């Protein structure tokens, strides 16, 4: 055994001995809390339900609500598996007035275990007690998630007051060790950086720093004046780089460069941790003043894993617990080896991690008083006491705040305490012995993978999902990474000189130029022409039909495998040109960076998903096993397909419709929207590079009224795939229904139209989530998504609070030219839309109350984000699709009325619901009339394969884009039946699939 390991074990055993002298349960509170935690550790389902119940409890106002929720959350556990609950629920039914306060009291008690005080005054009692135990403090202000700049200002003011208050109240307090005291000011405040700027966007760390620095400077200044220490806490990975950069920027400023009392957190569960720490130390040496690093493992492990799986990103955290433990030790050694410039604060309850730090510090000859151990309030009391007894410096992390904002902190602690992988549970609940608890984590890597903790597929599919039913989405670009931001910035810069190019029509593989061009304009700068496409005439339309019809004769016989491979090649090209295409969308349709990338990602997904789906449906399939006969169903393509696409998802929707038509064996005339015709030209280019044969895809930009109308009426066009407005959609539907002279096939129309999408906010909804997601659903891409939320229906109990926070959040949105990273609201598509929306807003002002209207840049088609309140269901604002950044808020009495109002519309596209009542959620799942119903999340952002997308009523006639049934619309089904009995003899079995039907040569 190495001498370091020996020393770690010696120290670990010493800590355990001291811990055992003052035995205390893992949880200091007995009774309800202990029983609840014990059940949680035994039963995962109970744990999930219990923590969800705890999460909602603080926001419930009435006793009956509490009883109702309790009963709903534990509806399936009333059979006695959890006796204390069963009794509770029964009692609650009889005496709600008695039980609800008792429950609330119990949960408040639980929260009080982890929350050191209601407010800065209240926390002083705790701090004084700890002082007597020789334990220092760092205070953290709990708060709701900030959704607006108003809320961030409040947080900043609270931080400043906290620094002042703590300094005043602790005058005369001395450092408990009395040695190296200059490194460890008594007053220590932990600041949550994300609470100081509501518009932090991973794509734009510079903007974050520009807003955060002015909020932090007064706090830092005051802290320095009163001799306090400020620590920057670390939150989710999305904010990590900005937080590090902010720290380096601020503390290099002249004013703070020589101030040593600043610290930042490094999270050892991150794969980046070692590199970040080394960079930070290098920076510290350059700066030339000491600073502190609090080393922790990290509090957002589950969240990071889930987020990465949802977006197809590399998981930023280690996946095995011993890897995090081992990395903690790597970082510990780096910190201690650089003690001359950085002070170490070890934030851990794990005796092995602590003992390792102690042993290594001793090996390096670092005095005990020069390092600090930090532990959370309400956890691991005996370990804190043991460390104090051993002569170490201990500081307690003390969250302060009310119960409601404290709930998410409480739930994080409950999860941590019941985690099967956690040290505290292993030691205090499972009673693992020291030899297990003190093992070198490196020796455990790869040995402890439990079922469920293995690396999930990118989409989190379990291994028993049938192959073929799964589709791995292409990843989104993660703008957290500097390289991604650089690539996007370069792509935008490289696009600028290319603007204004001309693009021809393509028919039968030939390029055709015309005298007339349609200019595609940058809506952020209407004087800038993004590109000009040749305008097709009716004659061109005729030529295109002839070419497509001719090409169909061959293409319909090409194997589906060959067609699927074509799509896959296009996807590869699109992926290669990804940043360039995103940059084009920024200029051509005013998409903010992440929205543009989302559109290209979706286009790639359509190509790959439909290729996969075609393979699943390409072979003739036996309809039934019946002796003596075989019947196979298969599909034929329809013929010439016309694709008419909108500008709002200029690559995704166009690609989706085109690729579905082509992979099923149809030939296509592609008419992009005039406003996004350059995107259409790019798609044509990519298909050509991928080897699409002449005539199979024809690019026909032009005026809808002219060529669109002509082609819809054309006797040889059998299939029309349209996405766009209700007005045009209904006209196509009607026109296509009339048969013409010489027409041999009834036209099939796939028609996706608009929505008037409602989102309901229940009385128990988590408003932090509801506000952020509604703002995104309503104003993301300027509300120009057919899925966008345009009616927010709020139950009256929450109405005032929702409106206040919503308006403040809207006022904080970044509106501007989306060439800038981090813009949320850009311009609307063109002057017509701009004028129409401004007129609608004027109408709205006459019928409802204008609660908010933003300000916008003077140049470009910018419509101010607008919120109307006191909107009634029969007003124009409630009924007509606006397709812009205008949100109407309606107040309703109860859920019955909310559902009635939500469903009372011509449309049925998307709908959302925010609630924490399991019964209400189930009800809404059953009753909301919409093609896509979203619970507790935004109502936009459908992902191919995951959220097959599309509606009914006046929202569309056709089935789900990006779903398993979509391709069927582009084909005619055929069944071929053969009697295979000869003189009473027939084969025993018939294969389920057979080769495609083809003429034998
Ligand atoms: C004073 C203090 C301040 C803190 N400040 C912050 C902060 O600003 N930001 C922050 O994010 N965290 C912070 N934390 C850390 C966090 O809240 C947890 O308390 C801490 O990660 C628990 O680690 P441990 O060493 O006590 O326990 P252990 O039981 O040894 O470790 C548990 C940790 O291991 C990691 N882990 C769990 N399962 C796995 C797995 N399968 N694979 C890989 N890793 C896994 C997780 O990080 C988990 O929290 C702080 C902790 C303390 C004590």
């Amino acid at each position: 055994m190495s001498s370091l390991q020996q020393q770690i074990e010696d120290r670990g055993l010493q800590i355990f001995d001291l811990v055992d002298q003052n035995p205390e349960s893992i949880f200091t509170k007995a009774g309800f809390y202990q029983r609840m935690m014990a059940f949680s550790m035994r039963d995962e389902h109970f744990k999930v339900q219990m923590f969800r119940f705890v999460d909602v409890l603080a926001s419930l106002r009435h006793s009956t609500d509490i009883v109702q929720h309790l009963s709903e959350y534990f509806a399936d556990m009333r059979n006695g598996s959890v006796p204390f609950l069963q009794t509770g629920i029964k009692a609650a039914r009889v005496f709600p007035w008695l039980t609800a306060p008792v429950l609330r009291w119990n949960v408040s008690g639980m929260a009080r275990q982890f929350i050191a005080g209601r407010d800065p005054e209240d926390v002083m009692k705790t701090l004084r007690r700890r002082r007597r135990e020789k334990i220092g403090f760092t205070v953290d202000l709990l708060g709701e998630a900030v959704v607006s700049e108003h809320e961030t200002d409040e947080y900043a003011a609270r931080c400043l007051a906290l620094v002042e208050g703590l300094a005043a109240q602790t005058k005369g307090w001395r450092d408990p060790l009395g040695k190296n005291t200059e490194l460890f000011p008594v007053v220590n405040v932990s600041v949550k950086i994300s609470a100081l700027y509501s518009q932090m966007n991973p794509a734009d760390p510079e903007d974050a720093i520009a807003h955060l620095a002015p909020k932090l400077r007064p706090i830092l200044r005051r802290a320095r004046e009163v001799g306090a220490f400020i620590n920057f806490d670390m939150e989710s990975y999305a904010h990590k780089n900005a937080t590090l950069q902010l720290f380096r920027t601020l503390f290099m400023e002249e004013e703070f460069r020589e101030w040593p009392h600043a610290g930042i957190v490094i999270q050892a569960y991150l794969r980046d941790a070692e590199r970040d720490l080394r960079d930070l130390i290098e920076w510290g040496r350059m700066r030339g003043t000491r600073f502190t690093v609090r080393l922790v493992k990290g509090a957002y492990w589950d969240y990071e894993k889930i987020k990465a799986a949802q977006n197809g990103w590399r998981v930023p955290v280690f996946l095995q617990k011993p890897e995090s433990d081992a990395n903690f030790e790597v970082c510990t050694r780096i910190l201690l080896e650089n003690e001359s410039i950085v002070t170490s604060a070890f934030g851990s309850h794990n005796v092995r991690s602590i003992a390792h730090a102690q042993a290594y510090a001793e090996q390096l000859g670092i005095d005990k008083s020069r390092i600090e151990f930090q532990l959370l309030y309400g956890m691991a009391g005996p370990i804190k006491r043991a460390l104090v007894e051993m002569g170490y410096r201990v500081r307690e992390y003390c969250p302060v705040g009310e119960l409601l904002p404290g709930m998410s902190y409480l739930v994080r602690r409950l999860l941590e305490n019941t985690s099967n992988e956690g040290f505290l549970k292993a030691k205090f609940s499972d009673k693992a012995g020291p030899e297990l608890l003190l093992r070198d984590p490196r020796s455990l890597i790869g040995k402890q993978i439990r079922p469920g903790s293995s690396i999930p597929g990118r989409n989190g599919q379990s291994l028993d999902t049938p192959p073929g039913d799964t589709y791995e989405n292409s990843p989104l670009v993660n703008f957290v990474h500097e390289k991604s931001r650089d690539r996007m910035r370069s792509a935008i810069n490289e696009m600028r000189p290319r603007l204004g190019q001309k693009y021809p029509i393509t028919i039968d593989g030939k390029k055709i130029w015309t005298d007339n061009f349609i200019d595609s304009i940058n809506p952020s700068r209407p004087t800038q022409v993004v590109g000009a496409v040749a305008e097709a005439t009716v004659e061109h339309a005729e030529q295109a039909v002839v070419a497509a019809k001719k090409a169909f004769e061959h293409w319909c016989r090409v194997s589906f495998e060959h067609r699927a491979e074509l799509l896959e090649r296009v996807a590869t090209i699109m992926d290669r040109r990804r940043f360039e295409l995103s940059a084009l969308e920024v200029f051509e349709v005013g998409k903010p960076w992440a929205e543009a990338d989302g559109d290209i990602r979706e286009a790639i997904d359509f190509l790959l998903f439909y290729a996969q789906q075609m393979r699943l449906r390409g072979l003739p399939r036996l309809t039934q096993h019946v002796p003596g006969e075989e019947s196979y169903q298969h599909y034929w393509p329809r013929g010439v397909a016309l694709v008419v696409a909108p500008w709002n998802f200029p690559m995704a929707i166009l690609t989706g419709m085109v690729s579905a038509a082509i992979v099923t064996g149809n030939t296509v005339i592609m008419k992009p929207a005039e406003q996004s015709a350059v995107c259409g030209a790019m798609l044509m280019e990519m298909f050509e590079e991928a080897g699409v044969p002449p005539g199979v895809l024809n690019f026909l930009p032009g005026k809808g009224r002219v060529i669109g109308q002509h082609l819809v009426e054309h006797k040889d066009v059998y299939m029309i795939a349209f996405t766009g407005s209700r007005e045009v959609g209904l006209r196509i539907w009607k026109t296509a229904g009339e048969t013409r002279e010489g027409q041999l096939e009834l036209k099939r129309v796939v028609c996706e139209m608009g929505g008037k999408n409602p989102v309901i906010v229940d009385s128990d909804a988590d408003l932090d989530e509801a506000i952020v997601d509604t703002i995104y659903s309503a104003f993301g891409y300027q509300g120009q998504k057919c899925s966008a939320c345009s009616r927010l229906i709020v139950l009256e109990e929450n109405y005032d609070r929702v409106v206040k926070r919503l308006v403040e959040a809207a006022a904080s949105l970044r509106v501007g030219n989306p060439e800038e990273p981090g813009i949320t609201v850009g311009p609307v598509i063109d002057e017509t839309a701009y004028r129409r929306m401004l007129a609608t807003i004027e109408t709205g002002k006459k019928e409802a109350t204008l609660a908010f209207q933003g300000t916008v840049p003077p140049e470009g088609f910018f419509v101010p984000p607008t919120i109307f309140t006191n909107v009634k269901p029969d007003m124009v604002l409630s009924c007509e699709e606006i397709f812009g950044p205008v949100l109407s808020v309606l107040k309703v009495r109860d859920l019955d009325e909310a559902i009635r109002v939500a469903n009372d519309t011509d449309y049925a596209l998307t709908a959302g619901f925010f609630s924490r009542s399991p019964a209400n959620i189930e009800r809404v799942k059953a009753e909301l009339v919409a093609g896509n119903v979203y619970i507790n999340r935004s109502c936009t952002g459908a992902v191919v394969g995951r959220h097959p997308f599309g509606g009914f009523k006046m929202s569309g006639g056709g089935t789900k884009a990006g779903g398993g049934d979509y391709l069927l619309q582009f084909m005619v089904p055929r069944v071929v039946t053969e009697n295979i009995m000869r003189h009473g003899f027939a084969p025993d079995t018939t294969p389920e699939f057979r080769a495609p039907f083809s003429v034998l040569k």
Side-chain angles (χ1 to χ4, degrees):
M1 188 189 296
S2 74
S3 69
L4 182 65
Q5 177 62 21
Q6 185 61 58
Q7 281 187 42
I8 293 168
E9 289 187 9
D10 290 350
R11 284 170 175 281
L13 287 172
Q14 200 185 343
I15 298 174
F16 285 136
D17 274 350
L18 289 166
V19 164
D20 292 341
Q21 281 168 26
N22 299 305
E24 185 183 283
S25 157
I26 173 172
F27 313 118
T28 47
K29 279 224 175 330
F32 176 83
Y33 177 65
Q34 280 214 344
R35 275 188 290 163
M36 198 201 76
M37 295 305 264
F39 268 101
S40 299
M41 288 189 232
R42 250 184 277 155
D43 183 333
E44 189 60 28
H45 178 59
F46 171 80
K47 173 169 150 180
V48 170
Q49 295 304 88
M50 190 66 206
F51 292 180
R52 286 183 170 181
F53 175 66
V54 167
D55 172 58
V56 69
L57 184 63
S59 66
L60 301 177
R61 296 178 187 92
H62 309 297
S63 297
T64 45
D65 290 341
I66 295 179
V67 172
Q68 185 61 33
H69 278 74
L70 183 74
S71 164
E72 288 173 18
Y73 274 99
F74 299 98
D76 54 350
M77 292 182 202
R78 287 194 206 126
N79 53 11
S81 59
V82 191
F84 75 90
L85 252 181
Q86 198 196 15
T87 322
I89 292 171
K90 271 195 203 137
R93 288 256 153 70
V94 186
F95 309 114
W97 44 270
L98 170 73
T99 317
V102 170
L103 266 173
R104 201 193 283 274
W105 185 82
N106 272 317
V107 174
S108 306
M110 252 166 43
R112 276 195 298 276
Q113 166 148 347
F114 300 107
I115 300 174
R118 277 189 312 279
D119 52 45
E121 272 296 302
D122 187 42
V123 79
M124 284 313 299
K125 284 188 256 155
T126 305
L127 305 189
R128 285 194 193 100
R129 227 176 17 248
R130 291 293 179 268
R131 184 184 174 212
R132 289 195 288 276
E133 297 165 19
K134 297 195 164 63
I135 294 175
F137 65 84
T138 177
V139 176
D140 152 66
L141 288 174
L142 294 170
E144 289 168 302
V146 298
V147 301
S148 67
E149 286 311 277
H150 176 77
E151 291 174 7
T152 64
D153 289 341
E154 279 179 1
Y155 180 78
R158 285 172 64 211
C159 280
L160 197 59
L162 180 67
V163 170
E164 298 275 6
L166 287 174
Q169 300 266 9
T170 59
K171 271 212 180 89
W173 289 25
R174 298 269 167 275
D175 176 73
L177 293 191
K179 237 173 127 185
N180 288 310
T181 53
E182 72 287 357
L183 301 182
F184 303 96
V186 168
V187 174
N188 186 315
V189 170
S190 289
V191 179
K192 218 168 255 66
I193 298 304
S194 74
L196 289 167
Y197 183 39
S198 64
Q199 304 299 305
M200 272 179 96
N201 183 329
D204 202 352
E206 288 78 18
D207 167 77
I209 291 165
H211 284 84
L212 288 163
K215 295 237 177 77
L216 275 159
R217 279 189 202 105
I219 300 170
L220 300 180
R221 217 165 272 148
R222 193 66 194 128
R224 198 185 50 190
E225 282 161 13
V226 298
F229 182 100
I230 299 291
N231 191 75
F232 287 15
D233 279 4
M234 198 59 87
E235 300 164 76
S236 67
Y237 185 66
H239 297 328
K240 184 220 27 157
N241 288 342
T243 307
L244 283 166
Q245 207 173 318
L246 172 74
F247 185 78
R248 288 192 290 254
T249 307
L250 270 170
F251 293 104
M252 272 308 258
E253 288 178 3
E254 204 51 42
E255 184 177 3
F256 303 114
R257 187 165 177 164
E258 287 173 14
W259 186 45
H261 295 144
I264 188 162
V265 170
I266 289 283
Q267 296 157 313
Y269 67 5
L270 291 181
R271 296 172 196 277
D272 294 353
E274 182 182 344
R275 197 192 58 215
D276 287 341
L277 180 57
R278 288 190 189 282
D279 288 351
L280 205 53
I281 289 172
E282 200 182 307
W283 164 85
R285 293 210 178 277
M286 193 180 58
R287 174 176 175 246
T289 309
R290 282 190 86 75
F291 67 106
T292 296
V293 167
R294 178 199 296 153
L295 182 64
V296 304
K297 281 168 204 158
Y300 306 86
W301 186 79
D302 295 87
Y303 172 84
E304 301 295 1
K305 220 174 64 145
I306 291 168
K307 265 284 169 256
Q310 284 182 351
N311 294 324
W313 293 333
R314 179 170 179 262
V315 185
V317 292
F318 290 111
L319 292 168
Q320 297 177 46
K321 167 76 165 56
E323 290 180 291
S324 294
D325 291 340
N327 199 40
F328 189 92
E329 297 189 2
V330 168
C331 293
T332 296
R333 291 195 288 272
I334 296 172
L335 278 172
L336 293 171
E337 283 157 12
N338 289 281
E339 205 279 331
S340 56
I341 190 72
V342 60
T343 303
S344 307
F346 299 104
S348 174
H349 310 109
N350 183 324
V351 173
R352 158 80 204 191
S353 307
I354 293 171
H356 168 267
Q358 292 179 349
Y360 198 68
E362 190 172 291
Q363 263 195 7
L364 296 180
I366 298 170
D367 191 81
K368 278 177 184 176
S369 63
R370 293 186 70 82
I371 59 176
E372 181 167 80
F373 291 98
Q374 298 191 354
L375 296 92
L376 300 179
Y377 176 81
M379 285 167 67
I383 299 178
K384 288 174 201 156
R385 284 194 289 277
L387 293 173
V388 170
E389 261 181 66
M390 288 165 80
Y392 282 97
R393 184 185 301 283
V394 177
R395 192 180 291 276
E396 195 170 55
Y397 185 95
C398 298
V400 170
E402 292 294 338
L403 197 55
L404 178 62
M407 276 302 154
S408 61
Y409 179 82
L410 171 63
V411 171
R412 271 210 304 280
R413 295 288 78 81
L414 295 179
L415 280 171
E416 192 171 315
N417 279 332
T418 52
S419 159
N420 282 324
E421 309 219 49
F423 177 88
L424 289 180
K425 176 169 179 275
K427 160 72 185 148
F428 295 99
S429 181
D430 303 344
K431 309 279 183 221
E435 66 292 349
L436 285 181
L437 297 172
L438 295 175
R439 280 175 305 182
D440 184 339
R442 286 172 303 182
S443 68
L444 301 171
I445 294 173
K447 297 195 181 140
Q448 279 195 330
I449 301 180
R450 293 178 305 112
S453 69
S454 59
I455 303 169
R458 256 211 324 246
N459 293 339
Q461 73 268 30
S462 76
L463 290 176
D464 44 23
T465 312
D469 277 3
T470 59
Y471 167 73
E472 269 206 12
N473 293 92
S474 112
L476 286 165
V477 166
N478 189 351
F479 288 109
V480 149
H481 303 297
E482 197 173 354
K483 202 165 139 210
S484 307
R485 298 197 296 274
D486 286 347
R487 287 184 73 187
M488 187 66 187
R489 217 171 283 121
S490 308
I492 288 178
N493 289 336
E494 283 159 22
M495 183 58 65
R496 266 193 212 100
R498 285 174 49 193
L499 298 180
Q501 276 185 30
K502 296 196 160 143
Y503 301 89
I505 295 166
T506 306
I507 297 174
D508 209 11
K510 296 182 198 70
K511 303 293 165 196
I512 300 173
W513 297 95
T514 55
D515 295 336
N516 286 341
F517 283 87
I518 303 175
D519 282 347
S520 178
I521 299 297
N522 178 353
S524 305
R525 285 178 223 268
T527 49
Q528 188 172 53
V529 176
V530 175
V533 286
E535 182 180 346
T537 60
V538 168
E539 290 84 84
H540 294 121
E542 282 295 328
Q543 289 168 21
V545 175
V546 170
K549 207 173 154 191
K550 188 169 113 255
F552 180 72
E553 287 166 23
H554 164 70
W555 190 245
C556 70
R557 285 182 229 290
V558 160
S559 76
F560 64 82
E561 180 56 36
H562 184 87
R563 300 192 304 250
E565 285 169 9
L566 171 71
L567 263 53
E568 285 164 347
R569 286 196 298 279
V570 178
T572 306
I573 297 165
M574 205 175 263
D575 197 35
R576 191 188 75 218
R577 297 180 60 178
R578 184 161 186 161
F579 287 91
E580 172 204 343
L581 296 169
S582 292
L584 171 63
E585 292 200 4
V586 168
F587 287 103
E588 191 169 33
V589 297
K591 285 233 174 201
W593 285 22
E595 299 283 343
D597 175 68
D599 190 51
I600 307 301
R601 182 260 198 139
E602 193 178 351
I604 295 173
D605 271 343
F606 276 133
L607 289 159
L608 298 177
F609 180 74
Y610 290 150
Q612 185 211 51
Q613 290 296 312
M614 192 61 221
R615 289 194 178 100
L616 290 175
R617 297 183 195 278
L619 292 175
R621 182 175 198 161
L622 192 69
T623 54
Q624 238 183 23
H625 284 283
V626 58
E629 187 179 278
E630 58 175 41
S631 267
Y632 281 96
Q633 175 160 339
H634 76 133
Y635 298 94
W636 267 353
R638 290 179 176 272
V640 176
L642 169 66
V643 168
V644 182
W647 47 263
N648 63 338
F649 289 91
M651 199 57 79
I653 297 183
L654 185 66
T655 304
M657 295 193 290
V658 164
S659 59
I662 285 185
V663 81
T664 44
N666 303 283
T667 52
V668 174
I669 300 171
M670 154 167 92
K671 194 199 99 50
E674 290 142 53
Q675 299 90 331
S676 59
V678 180
C679 285
M682 293 298 123
L683 186 62
M684 186 70 224
E685 232 177 73
M686 289 185 278
F687 262 96
E688 285 178 321
E689 186 186 336
V692 69
V696 171
L697 178 60
N698 303 279
F699 175 55
L700 209 69
K703 298 257 159 56
R705 287 186 310 279
V706 184
I707 55 164
Q709 179 76 14
H710 182 79
L711 287 167
V712 169
E713 289 172 3
H714 203 289
K715 68 178 175 54
D716 290 332
V717 172
Y718 292 162
M719 165 92 220
I720 298 148
F722 167 81
T723 305
S725 71
R726 174 177 172 176
E727 183 201 346
V728 179
L730 293 185
R731 203 161 57 230
I732 291 178
W733 195 268
K734 185 172 167 202
T735 313
E738 291 168 22
T739 42
R740 269 122 197 129
E741 184 80 30
Q743 181 177 332
L744 294 179
E745 183 79 44
L746 297 178
K747 291 175 196 265
R748 177 68 193 254
V749 180
V750 173
C751 194
E752 305 288 339
M753 301 179 294
K756 190 70 198 167
N757 309 308
V759 168
I760 301 173
V761 181
D762 204 353
S763 49
D764 67 349
D766 179 337
L767 294 193
D768 289 353
E769 251 176 27
I771 302 289
V772 171
D773 290 343
T774 301
I775 286 282
Y776 177 68
S777 302
F779 300 116
Y781 189 41
Q782 300 79 271
Q784 300 177 112
K785 302 180 188 178
C786 50
S787 54
C789 164
S790 63
R791 295 180 297 147
L792 185 66
I793 302 167
V794 187
L795 269 71
E796 61 188 6
E797 266 182 85
N798 261 338
Y799 185 82
D800 293 338
R801 178 120 188 85
V802 166
V803 168
K804 178 174 181 294
R805 293 190 78 191
L806 193 70
V807 164
E808 287 168 3
S812 309
L813 285 171
R814 286 187 68 197
V815 183
N817 187 330
E819 284 171 47
E820 292 284 311
I823 287 291
T824 311
V825 183
V828 300
I829 190 68
D830 59 16
E831 188 167 357
T832 315
Y834 172 76
R835 295 207 179 284
R836 183 173 41 76
M837 275 171 223
L838 292 186
T840 309
I841 291 172
E842 288 313 307
T843 311
K845 284 180 189 168
K846 288 183 201 123
E847 57 180 4
T849 309
L850 179 69
F852 171 73
Q853 186 154 37
T855 47
V856 291
E859 192 201 355
F861 303 128
F862 290 90
V863 171
T866 304
I867 298 176
F868 285 105
T869 51
N870 292 323
V871 179
K872 300 284 174 273
D874 55 350
M875 290 177 178
V876 173
L877 284 172
S878 280
C879 303
E880 282 184 13
E881 196 187 12
I882 300 172
F883 220 64
V886 181
L887 178 65
S888 301
V889 190
L890 294 90
K891 181 167 25 176
V892 290
R893 233 178 11 265
D894 53 24
L895 191 57
D896 290 338
E897 190 184 347
I899 294 176
R900 216 171 32 247
V901 170
N903 290 344
D904 183 19
T905 164
D906 294 354
Y907 300 95
L909 190 49
T910 69
F913 184 48
F914 287 91
S915 174
R916 285 181 285 189
S917 154
N920 289 356
I921 289 174
E922 275 311 296
R923 178 176 173 200
V924 157
K925 281 180 183 170
E927 292 189 9
L928 268 191
V929 180
N932 288 73
V933 174
Y934 294 101
I935 314 288
N936 288 328
R937 50 151 286 168
S938 64
C939 67
T940 60
V943 175
V944 171
R946 199 178 305 167
H947 315 117
F949 183 79
F952 45 95
K953 287 169 77 179
M954 286 302 128
S955 293
T959 192
K960 303 289 189 191
D965 310 331
Y966 189 70
L967 294 187
L968 298 181
Q969 307 171 111
F970 292 78
M971 300 185 282
V972 285
R974 223 176 142 249
V975 173
V976 177
T977 304
E978 181 185 350
N979 172 7
I980 51 172
M981 191 162 70
R982 300 277 187 280
H983 302 292
F985 162 80
D988 281 346
T989 56
T990 318
E992 189 172 358
F993 292 99
R994 55 149 289 159
F997 300 114
S998 65
V999 180
L1000 291 175
K1001 296 219 175 88

